[in-house]
Amino acid sequence: MSDLDPSPRPLVVGIGGSIGGVASTERALRMALDSAAREGFETRLFGGDALAQLPLYNPKTTDRTEAERDFVDAVRQASALIIASPGYHGSLSGLVKNALDLLEETARDERPYLADVPVGLIATAYGWQATGSTIAALRSIVHALRGWPTPFAAAINTQVTKFDDEGGSSDPAVGEQLALVGRQVARFAPLAANG
């Protein structure tokens, strides 16, 4: 690779968070994206504030907002995704689901939806019950979008694990789980590109 013509690094897009500031879900997602970046990937985060800019998905609308176009274009360019959701009432948040619904815009693309894209999954909840059901719901959605959920998903009980502003967590095992999510999407992305 020459300095004059550097090859672009493959992109991992992170989707997740909640409205009202950076909370545990977005902090966990950033840790996983940092792991993918250490593997040589470019990363782009669509956190809670960015997802809140997306109008409720209306399949009949043909004129998309700039925020919607930016989000869909980023996913189109992605070699891999990491999706993180808080567990709300036993499933993923409406904020994250709305963003995933918007991927219907890619239905007629050469690579429709998330076809052949590795997708890492993270669920955070105040207790264990919602983490498992949220991961299961995310896996089901990724399969419906033709993506490949990576083998490991991080389920984080925020009742026992706290995150800090510096990009760390109170439990080193959780930090390693999030790093594994990032490493797995980085590892499987080249396989998808060559498939």
Side-chain angles (χ1 to χ4, degrees):
M1 167 168 72
S2 125
D3 288 340
L4 298 175
D5 185 24
S7 297
R9 294 189 300 164
L11 176 66
V12 176
V13 169
I15 301 168
S18 52
I19 297 175
V22 178
S24 299
T25 305
E26 193 167 322
R27 286 187 170 108
L29 178 55
R30 286 181 179 175
M31 290 175 72
L33 287 173
D34 287 347
S35 175
R38 287 190 295 274
E39 298 293 321
F41 283 71
E42 191 72 37
T43 64
R44 177 126 187 241
L45 171 68
F46 288 89
D49 288 344
L51 299 180
Q53 299 303 310
L54 301 174
L56 283 176
Y57 178 65
N58 179 349
K60 299 197 183 312
T61 298
T62 56
D63 187 28
R64 297 291 168 203
T65 67
E66 184 177 338
E68 288 174 305
R69 288 191 304 271
D70 184 42
F71 174 75
V72 171
D73 287 346
V75 172
R76 282 178 168 137
Q77 295 168 22
S79 298
L81 268 69
I82 301 174
I83 303 171
S85 179
Y88 287 170
H89 307 121
S91 193
L92 68 155
S93 72
L95 189 69
V96 173
K97 180 64 167 68
N98 184 57
L100 297 175
D101 287 346
L102 183 56
L103 297 183
E104 184 62 27
E105 294 296 297
T106 68
R108 290 181 175 77
D109 288 4
E110 185 176 334
R111 181 187 84 182
Y113 305 112
L114 302 177
D116 300 331
V117 174
V119 182
L121 303 174
I122 300 166
T124 63
Y126 194 74
W128 287 114
Q129 183 175 358
T131 61
S133 55
T134 300
I135 291 290
L138 287 169
R139 281 190 189 283
S140 181
I141 291 167
V142 171
H143 282 143
L145 291 170
R146 306 179 195 176
W148 294 350
T150 57
F152 183 80
I156 301 163
N157 181 345
T158 58
Q159 190 173 20
V160 295
T161 301
K162 305 301 178 204
F163 294 90
D164 59 43
D165 292 336
E166 288 73 46
S169 75
S170 62
D171 184 347
V174 167
E176 182 49 40
Q177 290 171 10
L178 294 168
L180 179 57
V181 171
R183 286 194 308 270
Q184 282 194 344
V185 295
R187 184 177 310 139
F188 294 129
L191 298 175
N194 295 327

